[in-house]
Amino acid sequence: MSYVTFGEYGIGKNSGNILYQDRATGQLCEEKIPTYIRLGIRLLYQSRGSQSRAEKASIRNLLTSMSVKQGKKFDDPSSKSHIASFVAFHNLDLDEVLDPIVSFKNFNEFFYRKLKSSARLLASPNPHVVVSPADARCSVFPTINAATQLWIKGLNFSIARLLDSPEEGKRFESGSLAIFRLAPQDYHRFHIPVDGTLGETKHIEGTLFTVNPMAIRSTIDIYTENIRTITYIDSTHFGRVAYICVGAMLVGSIVLTSEAGQEVKRMDEHGYFKFGGSTVILLFEEGKVEFDRDLLVNSEQSLETLLKYGQSIGVLSQSQS
């Protein structure tokens, strides 16, 4: 059974019904899909069906232009007026927010708001526990083959293309993969999943397709075509971990607040996304991590699991202990 309804997009049709499970409550929840995401999906299918290279390029340029315009709009002081309705629509818990609402100068400042230190807790003091890097809907796959069979349907997807590196692609092609999809209502700062040392960050220009599950399960290579940053964490316990931040529709800005060479601990801040939905992908080398059972079971059914950053997603493989 699949929990993502996927079909041809039609104007006026209910073309998407996305369910996820909240780990905290065990309940299945239906995700609200904003109008701009529906528009992005419509453009995605138009791009997929087009035979013209010029038309495909035009659609990509339109998505980028929309993102730039929306970013400017939400950086404007007048955008503060959107905060109250956004909070009400998504029923956000303002008690978690570090700064008072009146302190935000525009909507974007609220969007990448900080949380109180007490709002999220580290799953375990044991450094062998990998933690979620974000408040997000999570899918995990013990092999890349499982990921492409169950979730990532892009025709030309490969780890080498994702990382823009044949060498690093070989390192991770037999490894494990975890995907963390941030919806617009989520806290949009992202954090460190394992202790280690940060390497240099590589920025790759690209498109701004939506990262909605219906898009990921299309034949377009969303993850390898979208704007993204790649940072490697060299960890004592887990070896090298690839940390990929993927920009999405209306998220043209990926801001990193950490630096190369920095010694990092789990839950340290790595950066934030500006307005929209977005994704973090973690790649582990072969045999390094054993994902939590509940995440594996849900992922096998194409059901995402809602996590908070700092919660466990897996442990060091017994073969590495």
Side-chain angles (χ1 to χ4, degrees), residues 238-298:
F238 293 92
R240 175 161 286 190
V241 177
Y243 194 124
I244 304 105
C245 301
V246 183
M249 188 178 180
L250 304 189
V251 188
S253 296
I254 303 170
V255 180
L256 299 184
T257 55
S258 58
E259 297 180 352
Q262 182 178 337
E263 296 290 330
V264 290
K265 297 290 186 182
R266 291 171 302 159
M267 293 186 73
D268 286 351
E269 185 180 299
H270 184 36
Y272 60 87
F273 295 104
K274 291 191 176 182
F275 181 74
S278 39
T279 291
V280 170
I281 299 174
L282 299 180
L283 295 176
F284 298 88
E285 296 176 87
E286 183 179 11
K288 294 292 186 180
V289 65
E290 295 177 2
F291 290 124
D292 290 346
R293 181 63 183 166
D294 64 324
L295 302 181
L296 284 169
V297 170
N298 282 350

Side-chain angles (χ1 to χ4, degrees), residues 15 17 25 28 31 36 53-54 59 74 79 92 111 121 135 150 167 176 187 197 227 231 252 308 312:
S15 58
N17 181 30
T25 65
L28 287 179
E31 184 169 328
Y36 74 86
R53 181 176 297 180
I59 291 170
F74 285 144
S79 64
L92 300 184
F111 186 76
L121 301 176
D135 284 16
L150 295 168
E167 180 181 353
S176 305
Y187 163 73
T197 304
I227 288 174
T231 307
K308 303 297 185 184
S312 170

Side-chain angles (χ1 to χ4, degrees), residues 31-165:
E31 184 169 328
K32 297 177 181 178
I33 304 178
T35 301
Y36 74 86
I37 293 294
R38 294 185 181 276
L39 174 59
I41 295 171
R42 186 179 306 155
L43 289 170
L44 175 72
Y45 286 128
Q46 185 177 342
S47 173
R48 184 179 68 173
S50 172
Q51 299 300 313
S52 165
R53 181 176 297 180
E55 185 176 348
K56 289 182 179 180
S58 177
I59 291 170
R60 285 164 168 76
N61 291 337
L62 175 59
L63 288 169
T64 300
S65 175
M66 289 171 60
S67 294
V68 171
K69 289 180 180 178
Q70 196 67 28
K72 290 180 179 179
K73 175 182 177 181
F74 285 144
D75 280 337
D76 189 278
S78 64
S79 64
K80 286 181 64 174
S81 62
H82 294 280
I83 295 176
S85 59
F86 185 84
V87 169
F89 182 76
H90 292 294
N91 193 29
L92 300 184
D93 182 3
L94 296 182
D95 288 338
E96 296 183 336
V97 181
L98 178 63
D99 300 309
I101 295 299
V102 294
S103 69
F104 297 110
K105 298 176 182 178
N106 53 54
F107 182 83
N108 242 336
E109 283 195 1
F110 171 75
F111 186 76
Y112 52 78
R113 60 198 175 274
K114 293 185 176 183
L115 299 183
K116 296 174 182 175
S117 59
S118 59
R120 302 289 182 268
L121 301 176
L122 181 64
S124 168
N126 185 348
H128 290 182
V129 175
V130 187
V131 300
S132 174
D135 284 16
R137 291 133 189 81
C138 176
S139 301
V140 299
F141 305 97
T143 66
I144 305 304
N145 185 55
T148 54
Q149 285 185 341
L150 295 168
W151 195 251
I152 305 172
K153 300 298 184 181
L155 289 178
N156 298 309
F157 174 83
S158 72
I159 296 302
R161 288 192 69 205
L162 175 66
L163 299 176
D164 193 35
S165 169

Side-chain angles (χ1 to χ4, degrees), residues 7-19:
E8 293 298 319
Y9 200 99
I11 297 176
K13 294 182 180 179
N14 180 17
S15 58
N17 181 30
I18 301 172
L19 298 179

